[in-house]
Amino acid sequence: QVQLVESGGGLVQAGGSLRLSCAASGSILSVNAMGWYRQAPGKQRELVAIITSGGSTNYADSVKGRFTISRDNTKNTVYLQMNSLKPEDTAVYYCNADLIRPGYYYGLDYWGKGTLVTVSS
């Protein structure tokens, strides 16, 4: 059993900041890439940021310079620091991880249940 549990969402005014966390727990040998996605009402889920096990990062153009993804490999946890938030950042944010589990030789894709971020104007 593997779980990804997100925390840190909430309501913030435009220009404010939030920090999301996502911890992976359960039967895990190693964690490959971890990332954050978001889905706004009426829109498709989109990639926000991703970080490899080695620390390489990639961001959606819409969040570059405002959001920072990081991870703590000792805790199997990924973070998303969100600054200068805009109303258009309002969405449910989902954590994603590619995990190696006992008995498997390839990565398995897991998702958290999501945390709501609401940015008021």
Side-chain angles (χ1 to χ4, degrees):
Q1 187 86 10
V2 171
Q3 280 189 312
L4 299 183
V5 179
E6 301 110 331
S7 62
L11 173 64
V12 64
Q13 287 188 332
S17 298
L18 283 174
R19 189 190 194 212
L20 305 183
S21 300
C22 171
S25 63
S27 182
I28 301 169
L29 289 180
S30 63
V31 182
N32 296 327
M34 301 185 81
W36 291 95
Y37 291 73
R38 68 186 181 187
Q39 188 166 17
K43 295 188 177 181
Q44 289 188 333
R45 190 174 297 187
E46 63 175 1
L47 173 69
V48 176
I50 192 167
I51 184 167
T52 68
S53 57
S56 297
T57 59
N58 193 30
Y59 297 89
D61 288 342
S62 59
V63 306
K64 283 181 181 176
R66 299 188 298 122
F67 292 9
T68 301
I69 190 170
S70 61
R71 63 190 284 171
D72 184 338
N73 291 331
T74 65
K75 298 179 180 179
N76 290 338
T77 299
V78 63
Y79 306 95
L80 186 68
Q81 178 66 44
M82 304 185 293
N83 299 327
S84 302
L85 282 161
K86 304 175 181 180
E88 51 263 44
D89 294 317
T90 295
V92 177
Y93 284 70
Y94 297 91
C95 174
N96 173 263
D98 183 65
L99 310 173
I100 304 294
R101 298 193 62 197
Y104 293 87
Y105 298 96
Y106 50 87
L108 300 172
D109 200 44
Y110 286 87
W111 291 88
K113 293 182 179 180
T115 184
L116 178 63
V117 172
T118 303
V119 184
S120 63
S121 56

